[in-house]
Amino acid sequence: MEQTPYPSPRLIFWESTAGCNLECIHCRRITVADQLLPQDLKTQEVFAMIDNIASFGRPIFVLSGGEPLFRPDIYDIARHAADAGLIVALATNGTLIDAATAQKIKEAGIRRVSISFDGADAATHDVFRGPCAFDRAMRGMGHLRDVGVPYQINTTVASHNVHQMEETLALAKEIGAVALHLFLLVPVGCGVEIADDKQITPAQYEEVLNWMYDAEMEGGIELKATCAPHYFRIARQRMAEDRRNGIERKRPDSMHRQKHAGGGHPGGHPGGRHAMNAMTKGCLAGTGVSFISHRGEVFPCGYLPMEAGNVRAQPFQTIWEDSTLFAQLRDSDLLGGKCGVCEFKNLCSGCRARAYGMTGDFLGEEPFCTYTPRKAKPGVLAAV
């Protein structure tokens, strides 16, 4: 009997180039160039890659970097992906967006733009991004607003801004962002060098995710935590606690998506206001998400530097469906440590990139999870 192929990905991030006009201290890249690189996939290679992806799925296709606006062909690539049926998004630092660029973004069929804001004010943001980055990004966002392109804020949570969550949320709402996505710092790339300096503690991590649960309950804007898979465990626990206390509150959007979107075939795409938010469970590295580097390397996500293949040698579909690495990530029975015995492992799975970055074992337990699984409590694990 022929085996059914693994469902197509819901999100694909393509690193269009390693070139960038900024040198952010928390960038996933170890080296950043201030120009396009000869190793970057050529336009026709990208077109072929897109056509292959579109032949078996309709994922959200994120044009990432580096700085994707460094590529003069980025608008042609976006248009090709949109015409092929992919949902196209752009991840940028926002500093290169002027009125003409914003119009090109709209005409290219890009459905949403994410702009990185790593602080609720210029002083905090510019510590990570460089002088005047905040003001330039704000101007870029204004140009997007003028042409009617939706935008969201992406915020990397670190020690310098962890105290600004309320202000960051208020900023997102004030400037008309459709979403606020929080990224919990993963110690890879440049993050290895700044981990001790900027990494928040596991306890702060838990506090931020509990804050996000309360903020999501209040509504008014789409919220999502990235590289924070145990948000799903926290949300499940908090909802159970509310029920025990007789409190009735709206189910968080993320948990609603997990319940109603998890069983469908990801070849279709989520609709409505959540069209750009494809979360179905915690860690999606290699299970619902993939990252393609500017050289064509295929990784489970942008923070897990383990290569599953290269689109210059194989079609993306072949890598996605046949990679041994991806198969391992899709088998929760292979998880080690307390993740392996956790009752939430199929909902959360722990951050595989953080496990790899901090322990060297991508299937090891999540180093920043403070939860003790029921089976891991004294006197219980030994009996399992």
Side-chain angles (χ1 to χ4, degrees), residues 21 27 42 68 101 138 161 187 211 234 260 328 330 340 352 367:
N21 60 313
C27 179
K42 304 300 185 283
T101 299
M138 287 288 283
N161 65 4
W211 170 86
I234 288 171
H260 295 287
Q328 291 175 310
R330 293 163 187 168
R352 299 299 97 217

Side-chain angles (χ1 to χ4, degrees), residues 164-382:
Q164 287 192 330
M165 293 299 97
E166 288 287 353
E167 293 85 352
T168 302
L169 177 60
L171 173 68
K173 292 180 177 179
E174 178 185 345
I175 62 180
V178 296
L180 170 62
H181 288 195
L182 302 180
F183 287 70
L184 279 296
L185 189 65
V186 179
V188 298
C190 297
V192 172
E193 299 176 5
I194 68 167
D196 291 340
D197 182 34
K198 296 298 182 183
Q199 186 74 270
I200 62 175
T201 67
Q204 288 175 310
Y205 194 127
E206 195 90 355
E207 290 172 7
V208 168
L209 297 182
N210 274 281
W211 170 86
M212 181 178 151
Y213 175 84
D214 292 326
E216 188 167 13
M217 283 295 188
E218 292 177 5
I221 191 171
E222 173 193 303
L223 287 125
K224 173 184 165 186
T226 296
C227 298
H230 36 295
Y231 176 69
F232 284 78
R233 182 259 303 167
I234 288 171
R236 183 67 60 83
Q237 290 174 309
R238 292 288 303 276
M239 285 189 291
E241 181 183 359
D242 286 345
R243 286 194 298 270
R244 288 193 298 269
N245 294 328
I247 300 173
E248 292 187 9
R249 300 205 285 185
K250 178 179 70 69
R251 180 188 294 269
D253 290 334
S254 57
M255 296 303 292
H256 178 83
R257 288 188 296 278
Q258 192 277 331
K259 179 179 178 182
H260 295 287
H265 191 285
H269 59 75
R273 70 186 183 92
H274 301 302
M276 302 307 298
N277 191 344
M279 285 294 285
T280 56
K281 71 179 188 71
C283 184
L284 292 177
T287 64
V289 167
S290 186
F291 180 92
I292 304 172
S293 81
H294 71 110
R295 296 177 296 197
E297 302 147 314
V298 177
F299 300 110
C301 77
Y303 298 96
L304 181 50
M306 300 183 68
E307 186 176 343
N310 193 303
V311 297
R312 280 179 162 149
Q314 293 175 289
F316 176 82
Q317 181 179 5
T318 300
I319 299 169
W320 177 256
E321 294 178 352
D322 298 342
S323 162
T324 299
L325 173 61
F326 284 175
Q328 291 175 310
L329 288 165
R330 293 163 187 168
D331 187 354
S332 61
D333 289 338
L334 297 179
L335 295 177
K338 65 180 183 180
C339 284
V341 298
C342 184
E343 62 271 26
F344 295 106
K345 70 177 181 179
N346 291 317
L347 181 71
C348 166
S349 298
C351 177
R352 299 299 97 217
R354 189 173 289 108
Y356 179 80
M358 298 183 73
T359 72
D361 181 5
F362 73 100
L363 294 172
E365 68 179 52
E366 157 69 65
F368 266 42
C369 180
T370 62
Y371 178 68
T372 300
R374 288 196 296 265
K375 290 183 179 179
K377 291 178 181 177
V380 177
L381 184 58

